[in-house]
Amino acid sequence: MVKLRNDFLWGGAVAAHQLEGGWNEGDKGISIADIATAGTNDKPREITDGILKDQFYPNHEAIDFYHRYPDDIKIFAELGINAFRTSIAWSRIFPNGDEERPNEKGLEFYDKLFDELLENGIEPVVTLSHFEIPYHLVTKYGGWRNRKLIKFFVRFAKTVFTRYKNKVRYWMTFNEINNQPAINKGSLLTNSGLLLKKNENAEKLMYQASHYEVVASALAVQIGHQINNNFKIGAMIAMVPIYPASSDPKDIFKAQRAMQARYWFADVQAKGQYPKWLVKYQEDSNFDLDITLEDLDVLKAGKVDYIGFSYYMSMTIKSKENEPANYKYEEERDIVNNPNIPTSEWGWQIDPKGLRYSMNWLNDKYGLPLFIVENGLGAVDEINHNHQIHDDYRINYLKDHIEQMEIVVADDGIDLIGYTPWGFIDLVSAGTGQMSKRYGLIYVDKDDSGNGTLNRYKKDSFFWYKKVIESNGENLGNL
Ligand code: P53
């Protein structure tokens, strides 16, 4: 029944700063993730001005993958995955971000990591920028508000494309490039590294920084293809479909505008140009952005090969009385609860059918191969005295999503490259800095304050996913 590609990638996904640790080893520089404190769902992580003595920084050690990767990869091989999505920490390769020459020790680390993976039949899938911009680029240049960042990023991309051209086939430029609204709260924990100045227009700044990022992404795509014609270089977007709360036409349009505002990044990366509504909107807002004709040519020439996306949840939006015609999407203000679907312990609305909707939407819009590069459930796990973790809630979540993914391939005829569930080994949450928000099929013994043996244990979901992979997705039954 299921007709997945013969070379379908069954994998797992992580990001350098969330699992490696070794934050100051191998001449690595400080990244913004290294100065992010721990938070909770109610208490946002803080970005401190440099490293403060009395603060706990969960990413400094993370799960110590930097030292433990050979043993971890043995467990990954036992799980049976054939793809491992990670990122290259920019600050290992260019510790400050603006050096002329790369740090050889950083390059060697990823050589060893990729070799170890390949020897175990696991293909590395690599994101260039996953929320870990070198901090020096923030303090000296203001992060992506500065056009110079394009040059630094392209140098980084060129360096790693060249170095790993025979080890890595699938690349993504910016993780969740559309995950930018955090700047409204002044948070740095996105790719952009933006600190709002007093009285600065956050929306204008977001459009400017995002423009430089899409230009840098398009340049990287062009250069990557020159270095290795077989490279597949993708966009990576956070896919959270926005539904209208009712069939009221006001809700329908509001949801449409929300989708446009959330996904224009993919329009630019996949179609090589800005959507008309946004050009008009930016003009009408008098943002006076630095977007040159040359930039627009770069965008046309650097279209991505596929759409990578994360999928965790859907959101729902409702109109208000007297909404202005030029409604501005503001997620925190406008999202309402969807009573038809459940909500996770961290407030994310679980919606497996929304995955089918999302993939059809993406396919209709871009017609490019799709790659589910993140999906998963953050939940509290209990480990018993035999080191067992009975995480049937996680199995159910993954099963329900894989089921929809298979319907999409079998019934909707959509070309899907692979599936790499997020945080398949427990790691530090990006949003909260917690360890207790666990996504893993592999348990890591460490708590939110940084205590624990760091031992690894296989959860029930590990044995379940192993069977799914062995049967190429045919066997989704519980244990
Ligand atoms: P955490 C928000 C919404 C959707 C995906 O997130 C998100 C976020 C950011 O919190 O991020 C992606 O750890 C991201 C990963 C992250 C994962 O989702 O907050 O690409 O780095 O860990 C899960 O539960």
Side-chain angles (χ1 to χ4, degrees), residues 14-15 17-18 85 130-131 175-176 179 189 236 238 240 262 310 312-313 315 346 348 374 378 422 427-434 437 439:
V14 298
H17 67 107
Q18 291 174 263
R85 173 178 176 239
H130 193 134
F131 305 169
N175 183 66
E176 294 190 338
N179 213 339
L189 210 62
M236 191 323 195
V240 182
R262 240 184 176 276
S310 63
Y312 294 90
M313 58 183 150
M315 289 181 184
W346 271 269
W348 292 11
E374 290 183 27
W422 174 253
L427 38 63
V428 178
S429 158
T432 68
Q434 292 168 303
K437 190 181 188 187
Y439 288 85

Side-chain angles (χ1 to χ4, degrees), residues 51-78:
I51 291 164
L52 308 181
K53 284 248 160 0
D54 54 351
Q55 279 287 353
F56 170 58
Y57 298 98
N59 299 72
H60 282 193
E61 182 190 50
I63 63 160
D64 194 33
F65 184 72
Y66 187 73
H67 298 109
R68 291 165 197 248
Y69 71 87
D71 286 339
D72 284 339
I73 290 172
K74 287 195 188 91
I75 310 175
F76 303 166
E78 186 191 332

